[in-house]
Amino acid sequence: MEYNITGRTRLGCLLGTPVSHSISPMMYNETFRLLGLDLVYLCFDTKEADLGSLVRSLREMNVFGFNLTMPDKERILPYLDDLTPAARMIGAVNTVKNENGRLIGHNTDGVGYIRSLRDFNCPVKGIEMTLLGAGGAASSIAIQAALDGVSVLHIVNRKGRSWENALRLADIINKQTSCKADVLSFDQKDLLRECLAKSSLLTNATSVGMAPDTNHSPLEDSSWLHPGLFVSDVIYNPRQTLLLREASGRGCSTGNGMYMLLYQGEAAFHFWTGLNMPVEEIRKKFFTE
Ligand code: NDP
């Protein structure tokens, strides 16, 4: 491992908890090395941190930017100077840029997800989509899907913690985009089955199926899946969730969340530097199936 840290090297970082499993330091530091940029990226586990004083310190240290993971994506909002339009609609930030002392919040999760669909030859313009979940990842996907031309979006959540957020997302989408969004609960089984029958894209953005609970699927009945449905899971651990395995068995094309991770990083890097990440090199090195 060869890094040329100088007196002018600027820092970027990931805040949140846990962060030790993160692939971001490898992805960004290799990008800096390949492009000869005098930047470095580290992870800080900020479980007990006072986010306000942490952000003041990062400003003082003139970091070029930082990323946020759970639980800081929403908690960061009061400490920022401005938000991009997408971050404002989503109500959460995963990427912050230091623009001459002003901290601008952006959200690249949705951009990364929609970009990943291109690799699977799954278009979004004009389609009907069913999205499972209304938490952090689902919010960014819902808003970006609507901004990028999905015609009809069904947001499915249980009547739990994120139910109100599902209603908020649908309201924002219906008011601010040309997409028509509605909300249903997992209990409305007939309606859910009808939505799936009409959809060409099903996205799981719940955490159901994620390791270690890999024997669960968010969808109660896999017979609701049909071969015309592209089934996508934002989960990347495991690579093949039970939902994706069942979908393959029903003749659906499928894709996991690994490339969403790559492309949200690509979008963050571009937001910080205005440069393009050497995606193919990064993909080969860190994102093998
Ligand atoms: P959140 O906690 O914000 O949201 C979780 C969602 O899952 C909520 O809608 C929640 O509903 C729902 N949910 C949880 N348990 C159940 C259950 N038993 N039945 C039905 N619904 C359930 O998490 P995130 O949005 O941050 O993350 C969700 C997943 O996305 C994780 O697996 C994460 O690893 C992945 N992810 C992947 C990324 C990538 O780049 N590929 C990026 C970000 C996240 P409720 O809140 O109402 O309980």
Side-chain angles (χ1 to χ4, degrees):
M1 195 154 56
E2 180 202 322
Y3 294 114
N4 293 314
I5 306 290
T6 72
R8 288 175 301 280
T9 304
R10 288 183 74 191
L11 176 71
C13 58
L14 172 64
L15 307 179
T17 190
V19 292
S20 57
H21 66 287
S22 174
I23 210 163
S24 295
M26 283 87 89
M27 170 169 62
Y28 293 128
N29 287 316
E30 179 63 2
T31 299
F32 303 155
R33 193 184 69 77
L34 287 168
L35 298 184
L37 301 176
D38 198 359
L39 304 173
V40 69
Y41 187 97
L42 297 174
C43 286
F44 297 113
D45 196 306
T46 53
K47 186 162 47 186
E48 306 292 336
D50 166 353
L51 200 55
S53 63
L54 198 58
V55 171
R56 266 194 303 283
S57 304
L58 292 174
R59 256 187 224 269
E60 278 297 310
M61 295 192 298
N62 197 27
V63 296
F64 68 80
F66 53 95
N67 290 123
L68 300 132
T69 182
M70 298 312 291
D72 292 338
K73 288 183 181 181
E74 284 137 34
R75 289 173 53 210
I76 190 69
L77 296 177
Y79 306 110
L80 301 177
D81 299 305
D82 206 354
L83 298 176
T84 60
R88 189 166 290 119
M89 289 171 79
I90 294 162
V93 158
N94 76 336
T95 304
V96 175
K97 171 159 101 168
N98 180 0
E99 219 170 67
N100 303 317
R102 295 186 76 242
L103 296 182
I104 316 296
H106 186 33
N107 197 312
T108 66
D109 283 335
V111 175
Y113 175 73
I114 300 291
R115 170 66 188 84
S116 74
L117 291 177
R118 266 195 1 231
D119 286 359
F120 301 120
N121 291 318
C122 177
V124 293
K125 232 179 173 46
I127 68 160
E128 189 153 342
M129 169 178 180
T130 299
L131 173 66
L132 309 181
S139 300
S140 53
I141 290 170
I143 296 293
Q144 199 62 45
L147 290 173
D148 286 356
V150 164
S151 291
V152 180
L153 176 64
H154 309 290
I155 303 172
V156 189
N157 207 79
R158 57 184 175 180
K159 286 209 167 137
R161 186 186 59 128
S162 303
W163 179 254
E164 288 302 317
N165 193 49
L167 298 175
R168 180 192 72 88
L169 287 169
D171 188 49
I172 292 176
I173 288 168
N174 287 326
K175 285 185 176 142
Q176 299 189 32
T177 76
S178 57
C179 174
K180 200 175 158 323
D182 54 57
V183 177
L184 62 149
S185 100
F186 282 101
D187 297 335
Q188 293 172 279
K189 291 177 194 168
D190 289 342
L191 190 54
L192 177 53
R193 198 181 55 234
E194 276 171 38
C195 292
L196 290 171
K198 288 185 287 178
S199 295
S200 59
L201 172 60
L202 167 65
T203 304
N204 175 40
T206 74
S207 41
V208 180
M210 186 171 73
D213 294 320
T214 53
N215 288 328
H216 294 93
S217 165
L219 214 56
E220 191 182 301
D221 188 343
S222 67
S223 74
W224 300 340
L225 301 170
H226 55 90
L229 198 57
F230 182 83
V231 180
S232 156
D233 205 318
V234 299
I235 293 171
Y236 50 87
N237 180 20
R239 299 279 197 262
Q240 290 298 309
T241 56
L242 178 58
L243 173 67
L244 295 191
R245 293 199 306 274
E246 287 178 341
S248 294
R250 297 267 168 193
C252 306
S253 299
T254 65
N256 66 36
M258 205 171 53
Y259 293 138
M260 171 179 173
L261 192 62
L262 169 64
Y263 291 120
Q264 63 77 32
E266 178 195 34
F269 176 73
H270 189 267
F271 184 60
W272 289 323
T273 64
L275 301 172
N276 293 325
M277 178 182 271
V279 172
E280 280 317 309
E281 280 106 317
I282 298 298
R283 185 209 299 266
K284 274 188 207 126
K285 209 153 186 173
F286 304 114
F287 291 85
T288 46
E289 288 275 358

